């Protein structure tokens, strides 16, 4: 297969296993490019991309911008906090105004689930979802699986546990879709109040005991508790959360085997993982960030190829 089955990347739910493998093979090439002395290729000199961020971001925003620049695209950046959204302008009006400046692709992070799907139905541009509320974060899941493949050789057949606030996590949902598509076994672990009731319909098991979950897995993806999306208390205190669901080096060292630790960032050090875990050889957190640039170059390149055709 030489092209994606989709014109937008709105979620892992909408793509195929073959799409994922094509993105990985393309990312392998771009990973080699970004490790050269000259880290840039002229592939997208005729493409203009708008990065629209209606929610805060460090890794995703910088990584998309770098990926676009490495491909020689023209880039404009929009942050809702400094825009006319604050004066009441709607999403469609905002985007249509930006598109009048002849933009070909929109990368958007938005607090509302489905914002990317909505946009794709109303405007003529390729849309990349950079995180829509608690729904999906497809490029994060792609870079996570790519990082597992890099560390362990393959994703198929691997045991992956996603630990923490599953309920409010777009990273969890996109990871579950991506891992299941590639044939990994997936469990979730966390306070039962933070695990959606439908989770088992996605082919995922719930393991409430962290030690058992870690003993079972090859990879633990540790998620942040998203206090900003909570309007009630889901557990008694941060201290109790950490005692039950936090990972420290003593816990890792007490397991029968060495597991891989992942985290999408930002980390709350001392809550979901301690610093000696975050900074250990077992953690591939900064590899995930590095791979994010290659994965986003691959996604943008493949979607842009469809615009050009
Ligand atoms: N992993 C992730 O989405 O981080 P940011 O919110 O900083 O982009």
């Amino acid at each position: 297969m030489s092209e994606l089955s989709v014109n937008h990347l709105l979620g892992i739910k909408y793509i195929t296993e073959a799409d994922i493998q094509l993105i990985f093979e393309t990312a392998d090439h771009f990973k080699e490019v970004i490790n050269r002395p000259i880290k840039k290729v002229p592939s997208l000199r005729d493409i203009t991309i708008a990065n629209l961020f209606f929610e805060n971001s460090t890794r995703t925003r910088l990584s998309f911008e770098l990926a676009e620049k490495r491909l020689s695209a023209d880039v404009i950046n929009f942050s809702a906090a400094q825009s006319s959204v604050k004066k009441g302008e709607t999403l469609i009006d905002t985007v249509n105004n930006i598109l009048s400046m002849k933009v070909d692709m929109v990368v958007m992070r938005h607090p509302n689930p489905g914002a990317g799907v909505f946009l794709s139905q109303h405007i003529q541009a390729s849309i990349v979802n950079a995180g829509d509320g608690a729904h999906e974060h497809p490029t994060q899941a792609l870079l996570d699986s790519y990082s597992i493949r890099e560390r362990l050789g393959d994703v198929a057949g691997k045991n992956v546990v996603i630990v923490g606030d599953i309920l409010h996590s777009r990273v969890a949902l996109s990871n579950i879709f991506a891992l299941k598509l590639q044939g990994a076994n997936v469990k979730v672990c966390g306070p039962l109040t933070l695990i959606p009731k439908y989770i088992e319909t996605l082919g995922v098991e719930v393991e409430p005991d962290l030690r058992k979950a870690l003993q079972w897995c090859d990879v633990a993806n540790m998620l942040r508790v998203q206090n900003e999306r909570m309007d009630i208390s889901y557990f008694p205190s941060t201290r109790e959360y950490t005692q039950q669901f936090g990972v420290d080096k003593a816990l890792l060292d007490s397991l029968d085997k060495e597991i891989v630790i992942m985290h999408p960032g930002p980390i709350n050090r001392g809550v979901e993982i301690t610093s000696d875990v975050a900074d250990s050889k077992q953690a591939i957190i900064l590899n995930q960030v590095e791979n994010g640039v290659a994965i986003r170059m691959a996604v943008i390149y493949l979607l842009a190829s469809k615009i050009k055709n």
Side-chain angles (χ1 to χ4, degrees):
M1 197 176 91
S2 60
E3 68 168 22
L4 294 175
S5 66
V6 288
N7 295 325
H8 311 277
L9 181 63
L10 301 172
I12 302 293
K13 187 167 55 189
Y14 306 105
I15 65 173
T16 64
E17 216 268 325
D19 287 326
I20 293 179
Q21 294 312 325
L22 177 61
I23 292 167
F24 286 179
E25 284 156 24
T26 311
D28 286 342
H29 168 68
F30 287 130
K31 181 139 186 190
E32 188 262 311
V33 167
I34 60 181
N35 282 297
R36 288 180 195 160
I38 296 172
K39 300 172 173 45
K40 205 162 171 165
V41 286
S43 316
L44 299 193
R45 271 196 307 215
D46 49 349
I47 294 283
T48 303
I49 304 177
N51 298 315
L52 312 189
F53 278 73
F54 293 83
E55 251 191 7
N56 294 343
S57 169
T58 299
R59 280 146 291 272
T60 311
R61 189 171 59 80
L62 293 177
S63 171
F64 267 112
E65 186 174 345
L66 196 57
E68 292 152 4
K69 289 180 171 168
R70 296 278 190 248
L71 290 166
S72 304
D74 288 324
V75 179
I76 52 174
N77 291 308
F78 164 96
S79 165
Q82 289 127 29
S83 74
S84 292
V85 169
K86 291 282 168 209
K87 302 174 197 163
E89 193 165 31
T90 65
L91 175 60
I92 293 285
D93 280 342
T94 302
V95 174
N96 273 331
N97 274 273
I98 292 168
L99 290 182
S100 331
M101 302 174 205
K102 309 286 179 232
V103 165
D104 304 291
M105 191 180 295
V106 173
V107 173
M108 184 172 74
R109 170 168 288 191
H110 199 279
N112 294 347
V117 174
F118 173 75
L119 208 57
S120 71
Q121 290 162 348
H122 289 88
I123 65 164
Q124 293 297 318
S126 187
I127 311 293
V128 182
N129 178 5
D132 58 335
H135 181 222
E136 279 228 39
H137 192 350
T139 55
Q140 180 70 46
L142 290 167
L143 73 88
D144 288 345
S145 283
Y146 187 79
S147 302
I148 294 172
R149 169 185 179 263
E150 184 177 71
R151 178 56 73 102
L152 298 179
D154 204 352
V155 176
K158 297 294 179 295
N159 293 343
V160 181
V161 64
I162 306 174
V163 181
D165 181 359
I166 313 297
L167 185 66
H168 299 104
S169 176
R170 53 194 174 211
V171 174
L173 195 56
S174 287
N175 260 275
I176 289 168
F177 288 139
L179 291 165
K180 297 297 293 181
L181 266 181
Q182 293 167 89
N185 309 305
V186 184
K187 291 189 181 184
V188 294
C189 176
L192 293 178
T193 49
L194 288 176
I195 295 184
K197 297 217 177 342
Y198 63 80
I199 203 81
E200 283 170 346
T201 65
L202 303 177
V204 169
E205 267 183 56
V206 179
E207 173 50 78
D209 183 316
L210 179 64
R211 167 172 279 283
K212 282 189 192 161
L214 296 180
Q215 200 64 67
W216 169 82
C217 74
D218 301 301
V219 178
N221 196 349
M222 306 299 299
L223 303 183
R224 182 175 65 87
V225 174
Q226 301 202 26
N227 290 309
E228 72 276 19
R229 297 193 202 280
M230 296 183 188
D231 45 15
I232 57 168
S233 293
Y234 287 84
F235 46 84
S237 67
T238 303
R239 191 157 165 269
E240 274 195 43
Y241 177 89
T242 300
Q243 277 175 349
Q244 253 193 296
F245 298 105
V247 172
D248 61 15
K249 198 71 174 63
L251 177 54
L252 280 190
D253 290 346
S254 73
L255 302 175
D256 295 345
K257 57 181 179 181
E258 192 170 293
I259 63 168
V260 176
I261 298 290
M262 302 176 72
H263 195 303
I267 303 171
N268 284 320
R269 285 176 184 257
V271 179
E272 58 270 8
I273 49 175
T274 51
S275 282
D276 53 4
V277 171
D279 303 329
S280 70
K281 285 205 310 287
Q282 281 170 260
I284 58 167
I285 298 167
L286 293 179
N287 306 74
Q288 291 171 258
V289 177
E290 181 186 344
N291 288 335
V293 178
I295 283 288
R296 288 172 177 127
M297 286 175 82
V299 166
I300 291 163
Y301 174 82
L302 291 165
L303 289 175
S305 314
K306 299 201 77 170
I307 297 171
K308 291 181 191 178
N309 295 333

